[in-house]
Amino acid sequence: GEDVEQSLFLSVREGDSSVINCTYTDSSSTYLYWYKQEPGAGLQLLTYIFSNMDMKQDQRLTVLLNKKDKHLSLRIADTQTGDSAIYFCADSLSGGYNKLIFGAGTRLAVHP
Amino acid sequence: DTGVSQDPRHKITKRGQNVTFRCDPISEHNRLYWYRQTLGQGPEFLTYFQNEAQLEKSRLLSDRFSAERPKGSFSTLEIQRTEQGDSAMYLCASSLDMAGGPADTQYFGPGTRLTVL
């Protein structure tokens, strides 16, 4: 079945860039999403990218999509302590509606 | 701004009891989803409604689980005869179906954390 994989942990220094990576298996993905989850909270949509795009930039966030390798990344520029959270990559399965398949999440720790 | 709301936020129950959760989606959204998230994992799809019709159920949704969306607005998720393995965060999401439009983006509520003792 379809699968999404992420590295589990990333530690960065405040002010540096963070890069969170994700791979997926579905060949017919239409949209791929990045969500952020803070402790005890629901998921906050950060950004998404359509499958015919290579890159999308939104303020401090840059999403890169390599469709050939089925690789997605999220770059956060000038990482702040408030960016500490779990980041989920999600793939939307084709078929008329968006059933999202999530990775296990990458825990981002930002230290001074 | 009225985002997706869920009630209760936390529920502690004893094994064998029934529990019911409520989700109120964003008002104009016609699609509603339930997901379950266990510790250290990403959310897993449970079921999907288009208006009041339940169009898909995951095999994760055993016969002890039932979901409804009677008037195409709020939804309830009931778990009968709860088991310790049901302990998880139950997340609701909603979206607006716009044929030919941009991504059918799902907006999530804060979740209901269920603990079964």
Side-chain angles (χ1 to χ4, degrees), chain B residues 18-37:
Chain B
N18 298 344
V19 294
T20 300
F21 311 140
R22 177 180 170 121
C23 170
D24 286 273
I26 293 171
S27 59
E28 66 270 24
H29 284 187
N30 54 354
R31 291 180 168 178
L32 187 145
Y33 303 78
W34 284 97
Y35 292 81
R36 181 173 71 185
Q37 184 180 23

Side-chain angles (χ1 to χ4, degrees), chain B residues 8 24 28 33 49 55 61-62 72 81 113:
Chain B
D24 286 273
E28 66 270 24
Y33 303 78
F49 290 85
L55 297 185
L61 217 62
S62 75
R81 304 181 303 282
R113 181 168 296 283

Side-chain angles (χ1 to χ4, degrees), chain A residues 4-22:
Chain A
V4 174
E5 293 194 355
Q6 302 177 237
S7 52
L8 294 182
F9 188 74
L10 177 65
S11 178
V12 299
R13 190 186 303 272
E14 191 174 13
D16 287 351
S17 292
S18 308
V19 179
I20 301 171
N21 294 301
C22 169

Side-chain angles (χ1 to χ4, degrees), chain A residues 35 37 45 96-99, chain B residues 31 37 45 56 104-106:
Chain A
Y35 284 87
Q37 186 176 39
L45 175 68
Y97 68 94
N98 274 347
K99 180 165 71 175
Chain B
R31 291 180 168 178
Q37 184 180 23
F45 171 81
E56 184 170 344
D104 178 24
T105 306
Q106 293 178 36

Side-chain angles (χ1 to χ4, degrees), chain A residues 14 41 63 69 82-83 85 88 109:
Chain A
E14 191 174 13
V63 179
D69 293 339
D83 295 323
F88 290 97

Side-chain angles (χ1 to χ4, degrees), chain B residues 55-80:
Chain B
L55 297 185
E56 184 170 344
K57 294 193 291 186
S58 162
R59 61 181 178 275
L60 292 175
L61 217 62
S62 75
D63 56 6
R64 295 184 299 106
F65 288 71
S66 62
E68 293 183 342
R69 194 182 183 198
K71 297 182 179 178
S73 56
F74 73 92
S75 175
T76 58
L77 178 68
E78 181 183 15
I79 310 174
Q80 297 183 327

Side-chain angles (χ1 to χ4, degrees), chain A residues 1-4 24-30 32 67 70 91-94 101:
Chain A
E2 295 79 10
D3 193 22
V4 174
Y24 60 97
T25 59
D26 180 23
S27 300
S28 57
S29 297
T30 51
L32 294 128
K67 197 171 180 180
K70 298 180 184 172
D91 181 15
S92 64
L93 301 188
S94 58
I101 303 298

